[in-house]
Amino acid sequence: MITGLITTLAACVDPEARPEKSEALPYESTVTTPGIPAIPLTEPAPAEDLDPADNAVSFRLEAAPLSTLDDGVPTESYAYNGQIPGPTLRAKVGDTVTVELNNGLGTATTLHWHGLGVPNLMDGVTWLQNPIAAGEGFTYSFTVTAPGTYWYHPHVDVDQQVDRGLYGMFIVEDPGDPTPDRELLLVFDTRDEAGAGDGHTAPDPARQVWTINGLSTPGLTLTAGERHRVRVLNAANLGYLKLRWPGMRQIAGDQGLLGALQEPEAVVLAPGDRAEFEWIAEQDFLVETEIYTASGGEALGDTLALLPVTVTGDPSDTPGLDWPFAGSRAETEDPSTELLFAFSGGAASEDWMINGEVYPDVSVSTLALGEVAVIELRNLSATEHPFHLHGHRFRVLSIDGEVPAASGWEDTINVGIRQAIRLELVADNPGDWMAHCHLLAHEEGGMMTVLRVE
Ligand code: C2O
Ligand code: CU
């Protein structure tokens, strides 16, 4: 995700004075009736590190069907280690990571490390490799080199498998960062009212409920003055978030700290996006989302309550932590290559396409190892598309010609209708890398291509 491009119509609205919205909305509000306590927010349990060595972590995941959600709702979900979201995997920069996956799903799967620069054969895609068959296992291993809030999910029948619950956070810590009083993980997803999967089975937003860490009506209690590092992931198949709360302090995007602290009015998180924030709460507040859809942003201009936060203790005026922000980006080197990815299709009976091609019948774009390239994304279709590139990170040079403020490293960027976005990347990871829309139905519908680094 990217900061600096968010305009909001609500800048002058006093949140206290906002009328009660839940009755007027065509959406099911996820906030409980005032006076009735919300379910206390819990976090996805972390995976146990099975390697005692200091610079190595080792995890074991078992993918299997799950028939009941945590809150007792019957479901036809899939889960890693019986939990949705899957276990949080945590490593620090420089660690060797080993993950053994056992496939108990009864159907083929893989693991893809969204955003991590893993070796090509560890990327979990099926362009040149077979997936892990039902009943089989595979051990992934790679070294993590860049801090950030990443995630993992299958890359086979992605729309179906992610929708059913196969996803989890993967955190790479930078030991040089200041230590907050507490870290908080918020993994957003949608599910339909019946409890089973989300987006692609019930594309009607009126039947969708947002969940945070798998809970549909969570509430949170914090202590005044405690400094929180809040890591946020939108793992939904097609639901967009436009998050807001009073006094937002954004510190990081997909991959580590931004150039500088950003204080936006709201932050759009497309499917696949991550962001990090600092919370130093002094009084109760509400995390909410403006209604935002792929078919044109702020569709209804309204908001939906997601998480009421109750703050205990006395206000203390605690200052923020001293984050080692990178400062503004150095001037772009002259790129040796420019690539264009144009998004089109989606009209009645049309496929979703990049450069007029439908995956897997695509022409492979090629970059030389080590070269600096500019990728221009152009959206010619009637919906927005979150673009994601595997194995690399990029910086946003411009959005419709405008340079974003203090951006950091990204791997997922939403491209608005008719927008043109220019990205800079260093082609530093050899192999064949998928580049696709992260609206998973679009990806499965053909909006995916291959970038070869050789
Ligand atoms: Cu998160 Cu190719 O995907
Ligand atoms: Cu798309």
Side-chain angles (χ1 to χ4, degrees), residues 115-141:
L116 287 166
V118 301
N120 200 224
L121 287 175
M122 293 291 142
D123 199 41
V125 299
T126 53
W127 172 244
L128 296 175
Q129 282 169 270
N130 292 325
I132 307 163
E136 309 266 285
F138 185 81
T139 300
Y140 293 85
S141 78

Side-chain angles (χ1 to χ4, degrees), residues 87-332:
T88 303
L89 310 184
R90 209 178 260 275
K92 57 181 189 318
V93 172
D95 281 357
T96 303
V97 178
T98 310
V99 184
E100 178 188 321
L101 174 71
N102 291 301
N103 179 9
L105 292 176
T107 184
T109 193
T110 62
L111 276 177
H112 166 60
W113 314 97
H114 182 125
L116 287 166
V118 301
N120 200 224
L121 287 175
M122 293 291 142
D123 199 41
V125 299
T126 53
W127 172 244
L128 296 175
Q129 282 169 270
N130 292 325
I132 307 163
E136 309 266 285
F138 185 81
T139 300
Y140 293 85
S141 78
F142 46 87
T143 301
V144 288
T145 54
T149 300
Y150 303 91
W151 62 302
Y152 61 93
H153 62 75
H155 226 279
V156 174
D157 193 10
V158 195
D159 193 22
Q160 190 52 247
Q161 295 197 3
V162 173
D163 179 52
R164 289 191 182 216
L166 293 181
Y167 57 82
M169 237 186 212
F170 191 119
I171 294 167
V172 180
E173 295 176 343
D174 184 342
D177 284 353
T179 312
D181 296 303
R182 187 175 154 194
E183 196 169 290
L184 183 66
L185 311 182
L186 303 178
V187 182
F188 286 87
D189 193 6
T190 55
R191 68 183 204 210
D192 70 27
E193 287 169 315
D198 62 1
H200 82 286
T201 51
D204 175 5
R207 288 188 52 210
Q208 280 180 25
V209 179
W210 278 100
T211 58
I212 307 178
N213 301 344
L215 297 167
S216 60
T217 56
L220 180 66
T221 301
L222 304 180
T223 307
E226 274 188 356
R227 292 171 296 195
H228 294 73
R229 180 177 195 157
V230 184
R231 298 179 187 261
V232 181
L233 158 66
N234 182 358
N237 285 46
L238 46 78
Y240 278 70
L241 290 164
K242 186 173 181 183
L243 291 178
R244 51 182 301 147
W245 56 80
M248 279 188 123
R249 295 163 64 82
Q250 186 184 359
I251 58 169
D254 290 336
Q255 303 208 11
L257 297 178
L258 300 172
L261 178 73
Q262 298 295 300
E263 301 187 286
E265 291 288 339
V267 170
V268 173
L269 283 184
D273 256 339
R274 292 90 64 211
E276 297 180 39
F277 301 92
E278 184 174 53
W279 278 0
I280 309 167
E282 303 292 1
Q283 56 191 336
D284 295 359
F285 67 100
L286 185 60
V287 174
E288 51 187 2
T289 183
E290 291 179 33
I291 306 304
Y292 190 108
T293 75
S295 54
E298 298 88 337
L300 305 178
D302 218 328
T303 62
L304 177 66
L306 296 170
L307 181 70
V309 182
T310 307
V311 179
T312 61
D314 298 324
S316 60
D317 255 326
T318 312
L321 289 164
D322 192 12
W323 302 99
F325 292 112
S328 48
R329 188 167 48 77
E331 278 304 297
T332 314

Side-chain angles (χ1 to χ4, degrees), residues 351-370:
D351 290 307
W352 292 104
M353 293 174 276
I354 295 180
N355 295 348
E357 296 174 330
V358 179
Y359 183 84
D361 299 317
V362 295
S363 11
V364 172
S365 312
T366 305
L367 295 173
L369 184 63

Side-chain angles (χ1 to χ4, degrees), residues 240 294 343-344 352 379 381 383-387 414-415 436-443 447:
Y240 278 70
F343 304 103
S344 65
W352 292 104
N379 184 357
S381 76
T383 58
E384 307 197 350
H385 303 282
F387 172 79
N414 189 52
V415 192
H436 62 87
C437 174
H438 222 283
L439 299 182
L440 297 177
H442 294 187
E443 185 212 324
M447 200 172 248

